Amino acid sequence: GIATYATAQERKFPWAVVHHRCEVRAGNGESYPVALMEGKPLVLIPGSEVQALGQRSNGWILLAIEGRAVGWAPRSCLYLSAEPILWR
């Protein structure tokens, strides 16, 4: 039961591990401001785990931390467990 549920959730929201330090943006590109979490800039550090909710064709991935969408990071910053849903 639980293993099947966990596997289904991973297919729905692939996990990602941060490859190198990067700032999470409020939108899918460098022109957007850095996203904030609890009033502080959100910066991912190597080895952190996040969820990939979806991706844009420009290579930016929408991320969730602890189940809550927080912002966007370039695909080059992440090792993905599976391909996230492509949003146009």
Side-chain angles (χ1 to χ4, degrees), residues 9-47:
Q9 287 302 99
E10 284 182 7
R11 277 197 300 269
K12 185 175 179 184
F13 300 115
W15 285 95
V17 176
V18 178
H19 172 59
H20 61 83
R21 184 185 182 280
C22 67
E23 296 174 330
V24 176
R25 300 285 175 167
N28 62 333
E30 290 286 333
S31 63
Y32 290 92
V34 175
L36 301 177
M37 183 175 267
E38 298 177 4
K40 297 179 183 176
L42 183 53
V43 178
L44 300 176
I45 58 172

